[in-house]
Amino acid sequence: MTPPRTSSPNSLKRRGFLGIAGAAGAGAVLLGTGAAPVASAAPGRVPGDPFQLGVASGDPLPDGVVLWTRLAPKPFDDDGGMPDRPVAVRWEIALDERFRKVVRRGVEHAVPAEAHTVHADVRGLRPHHEYYYRFRAGDAVSPVGRTRTAPAPGTSPTVDFAFTSCANWEQGHFTAYRHMAEERPDVVFHLGDYLYEYAAGVNGKVRTHHGDEMNTLAEYRARHAQYKTDPDLRLLHATAPFVVTWDDHETDNNYADLSPENNDAGQGNDTTARFAARRRAAYQAYWEHMPLRRLRKPVDTALPLYRRLEYGATATFSVLDTRQYRTNQPYGDKWQVSGPDQWDPKATILGDEQHAWLERSLARSRSTWNVVPQQIYFANWDAVAGPDDGGYNDGWDGYRASRDRVLGYVEERRIDNFVVLTGDVHNNWTNDLRRDFERPETRLLGSEFVTTSITSGGDGSATHDPGQVYWDENPHTKYYSSRRGYVRCSVSKQQYTADYRVVDYVTRPGAPVRTDKSFVIETGVPGVQAV
């Protein structure tokens, strides 16, 4: 077994890059001079500092990656402070952070209809290799970003990644993002609730949201911009490529397809048409502000977000979308209310097309580990004493036929080394997976690692005990904690190691990070083992 890791062997090099990225983040510079740009709106130039929202990369391939930025000298203005015209944005990617060895260059046109965002799909890169990138618009130069491509097919390097979810601006500081950046992962999986939709002051007092509850495109754009003004989030984006999927708060709490949480006219959700307009705006702003390829740009209310990423023969990641295609939650989405509607065969959390796609992805995999990053609590979650099944109806408990279809496929097709990654619930959990959670003697099929939040829920507490009823009713559950943080993973052909990294407070900045618990899964041996 591998002991918990306490530091990175690349710490000196990491500090060098983070120092450069941090300095660049303080303001754009002129190429080759280090001088501050002169604000100008003259032809061929852009006003002020257009790179205040930083840079990002995402969806790595063995030969490529998406590079992202948004031109926004005035992030909270409806137009971002940009002129109503396309702007040429040059990008370059290099082998070194000083850009002495540039390997690719190109030009993208940032247009007003897309909030002057850039989604450069760079190809022709080397597999499993570290690169540095930057953008230029007029005379302004962006901060430097670091990214890394995926391993080549058939190769089996160790893959180091982190995953997290649920960053509520009003409930805390994004300290955990900075700690993730310092660990320099190969890739970061963000499993939803990247931001929250609530109006200023509704959801916390640590910091304040800008504006009312999001409904319009301008409001969603402004909220995305506000979150990207956070220096810790900008640093993480500039340090590692992201693979993103959404949950509910990027649009509306606990929505299901075109059914909103509320049918209150004051929320703008009183008709399906109104909620469709809200979802259309949310999806457009989400695509604009994430490092996603242009092929994923939404059409009307649809954004094709589920996708597969292969990390050589080490791991295949099948990223799910459990919001866009689901039927409405049973029993009015009430907590721990169970019954036959949870087993309705017509109910679905993925939709038939995505279900079939997931089965094909698992069947095609030639990797050692079959990892499913997704949003919602996957294992049975029974908080009711006795024979009542209870359940979390916004999670997979509310769609038991869907979960049984997934686990049935894993069991019948002998899908080995099956791991589910989960966010949403603002606490750390570890679960083993069986097709029948009520029968602990049945075959183990895989494991679920559930990450806590970045800030949602505030500081949390030091407890590792969710209550005796949880342990009694859920023998598949192996660990719980209520601190904030993320999960750091190291995956090789021999084993999967997961470290639960936590901070003890988020209501003030600067909390140190520590490993609260570590687990390993040995290849070919289902079930977690505590380290």
Side-chain angles (χ1 to χ4, degrees), residues 56-68 91 93 119-125 129 131 133 146-150 186-187 240-242 291-293 311:
S57 66
D59 279 10
L61 301 173
D63 69 339
V65 70
V66 178
L67 304 182
W68 175 93
W91 57 264
I93 190 165
H119 303 254
D121 191 354
V122 181
R123 299 299 176 98
L125 304 178
H129 205 78
Y131 290 95
Y133 63 94
R146 168 200 177 260
T147 192
R148 191 173 182 89
T149 51
D186 293 341
V187 62
F242 269 49
L292 292 166
R293 287 186 166 82
Y311 268 63

Side-chain angles (χ1 to χ4, degrees), residues 55-96:
V55 301
S57 66
D59 279 10
L61 301 173
D63 69 339
V65 70
V66 178
L67 304 182
W68 175 93
T69 194
R70 178 186 172 190
L71 308 181
K74 297 179 179 179
F76 295 116
D77 287 6
D78 286 350
D79 58 6
M82 290 295 294
D84 187 21
R85 59 175 173 80
V87 175
V89 181
R90 286 167 281 181
W91 57 264
E92 55 186 351
I93 190 165
L95 295 171
D96 66 302

Side-chain angles (χ1 to χ4, degrees), residues 219-233:
E219 289 168 339
Y220 281 103
R221 283 172 171 171
R223 188 64 55 83
H224 276 280
Q226 180 177 24
Y227 274 61
K228 281 191 167 65
T229 64
D230 183 273
D232 296 333
L233 176 55

Side-chain angles (χ1 to χ4, degrees), residues 117-173:
T117 57
V118 173
H119 303 254
D121 191 354
V122 181
R123 299 299 176 98
L125 304 178
R126 292 163 55 185
H128 207 222
H129 205 78
E130 183 177 74
Y131 290 95
Y132 297 87
Y133 63 94
R134 63 186 176 186
F135 300 89
R136 183 167 71 178
D139 291 331
V141 179
S142 75
V144 175
R146 168 200 177 260
T147 192
R148 191 173 182 89
T149 51
T155 63
S156 301
T158 297
V159 177
D160 297 316
F161 66 92
F163 69 95
T164 192
S165 69
C166 301
N168 191 320
W169 179 276
E170 294 201 328
Q171 293 184 350
H173 297 275

